[in-house]
Amino acid sequence: MTLALEPVADPAAPLARRNPVAKLGAALLFSLPLIATLDPLTPALGLAVELALLPFFGVRYRVLARRAWPLTLAAGGILVTMVLFAADRTGALLMSLGPFAITTGVVSGALGLVLRVFAVALPGIIVFATTDPTDLADALVQNSKAPARFAIGALAAFRLIPLLTEEWQMLTLARRARGIDAGRNPVAGLRLFASTTFALLVGALRRGGRLATAMDARGFDSRVPRTYARRQRFGAADTALLVGAALLSGAALTISILTGFFNPILG
């Protein structure tokens, strides 16, 4: 059974209608300066800008928050790891947890890393939530002159991702029907998870090989000039999106430098 999920974004939103290559380029331009510094202020400013622009991309806060739990879980793990095992423990002592000294330097570094995870990941989430995969592949070939073999192959792989979820459910139900269930045993659960993952990987490799052979048989690598059913236009509004992303990321970095928070990752 497949559940009907609420759409993440409204495709009619102003920025959601922009060219896929422009949205992808804007995400890269905005994200790259955020990883140039270790301070928490720069990613915090970047995250604030991203959250403020979400409505213009048609992304719903409630749906995004509900579906971003893997990212939140990863950020929580990073925070705990940094607080407990950070090598640099300079700054004023805030509290002690046995042998672990929690200082202002540790908290600042952990907070900066967690904010950077969200600030760098969110633009990519916005791009893929507001872009049809076929439009993205067409735009990469038409506007970025990417090789058609690469773009169409990536599109085919992206289209297969939902099938992995369905196949995982089928494998789990099939094993449960055969009496293979871990119950409440965590060790047995880990072994069952590993074996199911391996079976899913084998199935994905087989399907990928069959798909690649079928695509080559249909002339996807014929090197003959192709025609496109969907023309992807790159206009002035798309250029403005790229320029705006560069200016906003530069502004966040400038504020960090002027306020003395800037802590370059190199140097």
Side-chain angles (χ1 to χ4, degrees), residues 13-258:
L15 295 182
R17 299 197 304 266
R18 300 278 62 81
N19 184 283
V21 168
K23 290 188 286 186
L24 186 61
L28 292 174
L29 286 174
F30 191 81
S31 300
L32 286 178
L34 301 180
I35 61 176
T37 175
L38 298 174
D39 71 89
L41 179 61
T42 305
L45 292 173
L47 188 59
V49 171
E50 293 163 6
L51 292 176
L53 290 177
L54 280 182
F56 296 96
F57 283 96
V59 179
R60 301 167 177 82
Y61 290 106
R62 176 171 52 83
V63 178
L64 182 65
R66 191 166 62 245
R67 297 189 181 183
W69 67 265
L71 188 62
T72 304
L73 186 62
I78 292 173
L79 179 62
V80 172
T81 303
M82 287 290 296
V83 168
L84 296 180
F85 304 110
D88 183 12
R89 298 189 176 274
T90 58
L93 180 65
L94 298 177
M95 62 181 300
S96 295
L97 297 175
F100 305 107
I102 311 301
T103 64
T104 54
V106 171
V107 174
S108 176
L111 183 61
L113 187 57
V114 169
L115 289 173
R116 192 171 294 105
V117 168
F118 282 103
V120 172
L122 191 55
I125 294 174
I126 293 173
V127 170
F128 287 102
T130 60
T131 305
D132 181 83
T134 303
D135 289 339
L136 178 58
D138 287 343
L140 286 174
V141 177
Q142 296 175 40
N143 304 127
S144 298
K145 306 303 178 184
R149 183 181 178 90
F150 165 77
I152 298 175
L155 171 63
F158 188 82
R159 290 294 191 188
L160 289 178
I161 292 178
L163 295 180
L164 295 179
T165 303
E166 296 180 3
E167 189 168 347
W168 179 276
Q169 294 175 349
M170 291 175 59
L171 287 170
T172 303
L173 293 175
R175 295 190 174 201
R176 189 174 299 170
R178 294 183 178 93
I180 304 175
D181 194 355
R184 298 184 179 181
N185 189 333
V187 177
L190 184 60
R191 291 177 180 174
L192 183 60
F193 176 82
S195 62
T196 306
T197 303
F198 181 74
L200 184 68
L201 176 62
V202 172
L205 291 176
R206 289 176 178 172
R207 184 182 292 109
R210 291 195 299 267
L211 179 62
T213 302
M215 291 177 67
D216 282 340
R218 288 170 172 79
F220 280 92
D221 193 31
S222 61
R223 303 185 186 279
V224 176
R226 312 182 67 87
T227 58
Y228 304 97
R230 305 181 185 182
R231 298 300 304 180
Q232 301 296 326
R233 310 290 182 184
F234 196 99
D238 302 306
T239 303
L241 178 61
L242 292 172
V243 174
L247 291 177
L248 287 173
S249 63
L253 206 58
T254 301
I255 293 175
S256 175
I257 295 173
L258 294 178

